[in-house]
Amino acid sequence: MIDVIKGTLLIVGALLMLLAAIGLLRLPDLLTRMHATTKAAALGVILVMLANAMHFSEVGVVARSLAVIVFILLTAPVAAHVIGRAGYFVGSKLWSGTVKDELRPNYDPLTHALKSGLETEENAKRQPRETDPE
C-alpha cells in the first residue's frame, strides 16, 4: 500500500511540475506565468519530497526532505512576488485581457514609489488649507 501512495505522490508531483512548465510557455504575461509556476511547481516539489521521505524512511532523509518543503513554502511566494513586482516596475506589458490593475493609481513610475490605498483616499478627500506648506 505504501508503494501505491509513493507512486501516486511522485506522479502527481511530476504532473504538477509539467503543468507549471506548460503554464510558463503558454500563459500570456509575466504575472500569470509567475502565478502558474509558483503554485504548481511548489506543490509538485513538495509532493515529490514527501514521496522521497516515505521511500527512504531514514531520519536524515526525512529531515532534509522536510527542510526542503519548508524552504519552498517560505521562499517561492516571496520570490514570485518580488519578480512580479520588479517586472511591473520595469514596464512589463500586461495581458490584453487583464481586467483590473490595482497598482496603476498608486504607482509613480518616475520614483518607483507605491502609495498605500489609505494614502490615496486621504489625499483625495483632503482639501488644501492655507497653513499647508507648498
Side-chain angles (χ1 to χ4, degrees), residues 13-14 17 19 25 36 53-54 57 61-62 65 74 77-78 86-87 99-100 110 114 122 129:
M17 289 187 273
L19 184 66
L25 296 173
M54 289 175 68
S57 299
V61 175
V62 171
S65 295
L74 291 175
V78 174
V99 177
K100 191 172 191 179
L110 298 175
L114 273 177
E122 288 173 5
R129 296 181 214 138

Side-chain angles (χ1 to χ4, degrees), residues 52-68:
N52 181 44
M54 289 175 68
H55 178 71
F56 290 105
S57 299
E58 295 176 8
V59 175
V61 175
V62 171
R64 282 186 225 124
S65 295
L66 292 177
V68 168

Side-chain angles (χ1 to χ4, degrees), residues 18-122:
L18 176 66
L19 184 66
I22 292 170
L24 186 62
L25 296 173
R26 299 285 311 226
L27 291 172
D29 68 344
L30 175 72
L31 300 178
T32 55
R33 289 177 186 153
M34 291 305 303
H35 181 77
T37 55
T38 302
K39 305 280 186 215
L43 184 56
V45 170
I46 289 169
L47 292 177
V48 169
M49 286 291 109
L50 287 174
N52 181 44
M54 289 175 68
H55 178 71
F56 290 105
S57 299
E58 295 176 8
V59 175
V61 175
V62 171
R64 282 186 225 124
S65 295
L66 292 177
V68 168
I69 290 171
V70 169
F71 181 76
I72 293 290
L73 285 174
L74 291 175
T75 59
V78 174
H81 175 78
V82 169
I83 292 170
R85 186 172 172 158
Y88 188 89
F89 287 172
V90 298
S92 177
K93 298 284 184 197
L94 295 178
W95 176 45
S96 61
T98 300
V99 177
K100 191 172 191 179
D101 182 4
E102 293 181 358
L103 284 180
R104 182 173 290 153
N106 299 323
Y107 174 62
D108 182 8
L110 298 175
T111 62
H112 296 295
L114 273 177
K115 296 177 218 155
S116 71
L118 294 175
E119 290 174 2
T120 306
E121 290 173 13
E122 288 173 5

